[in-house]
Amino acid sequence: LTMNDLMRLPQREIPVLLVCAGNRRKEQNQVHQTVGFGWGAAGLGCSVWTGVRLRDVLVYCGIKPKSAGARHVCFAGVAGELPKGKDGSYGTSVPFDKAMDPSQDIMIAWKQNGLFLEPDHGFPVRIIIPGYIG
């Protein structure tokens, strides 16, 4: 699957408020030392994201049906991006039904506020899952 393949699928543009998984890490560090930036309570931001619906990509790629045993759709970032963890990558998953639900706004995005993603924001693409930390 190439960027050209992705960009040929029906595109969406939606505003999403993301909250950092490390929100309030400053207070957590007072109890037990963690890894990462010492956010206070303000690790959040709202952007307009451009990309394609995850469901459309999965269908395009020929995902097997739930009856074949799929329970979750899993995502992993680049290995070595984090100083700790099994392989040092960010990761998450969503239930199969949520990923395949056409009413969900889960998307693979390549633009943020009209500009192609920078490396600090997930270049070349990032998963946007409204309602999940990210």
Side-chain angles (χ1 to χ4, degrees):
L1 184 67
T2 68
M3 280 298 296
N4 286 337
D5 294 331
L6 279 177
M7 295 175 89
R8 278 194 290 271
L9 294 172
Q11 295 184 20
R12 306 180 52 120
E13 187 176 273
I14 58 170
V16 178
L17 175 71
L18 294 180
V19 178
C20 180
N23 220 13
R24 304 207 65 113
R25 190 176 291 132
K26 179 180 174 185
E27 290 86 353
Q28 292 172 358
N29 285 337
Q30 293 172 356
V31 176
H32 177 71
Q33 189 62 42
T34 65
V35 176
F37 184 79
W39 287 107
L44 56 94
C46 188
S47 295
V48 175
W49 299 93
T50 303
V52 294
R53 191 184 322 219
L54 173 63
R55 179 190 188 284
D56 295 343
V57 174
L58 296 175
V59 168
Y60 177 84
C61 291
I63 191 169
K64 293 179 182 177
K66 186 176 180 180
S67 61
R71 295 211 171 29
H72 277 80
V73 177
C74 301
F75 312 96
V78 178
E81 196 170 24
L82 300 172
K84 291 192 176 182
K86 183 177 178 182
D87 69 357
S89 68
Y90 287 99
T92 194
S93 68
V94 293
F96 182 89
D97 290 337
K98 185 174 183 75
M100 297 304 292
D101 183 345
S103 72
Q104 295 296 311
D105 288 324
I106 303 170
M107 70 186 315
I108 297 173
W110 55 80
K111 283 187 178 179
Q112 179 182 18
N113 295 328
L115 302 173
F116 284 98
L117 292 176
E118 299 284 335
D120 282 348
H121 297 283
F123 172 87
V125 296
R126 73 178 288 159
I127 191 80
I128 301 296
I129 310 172
Y132 281 51
I133 57 174

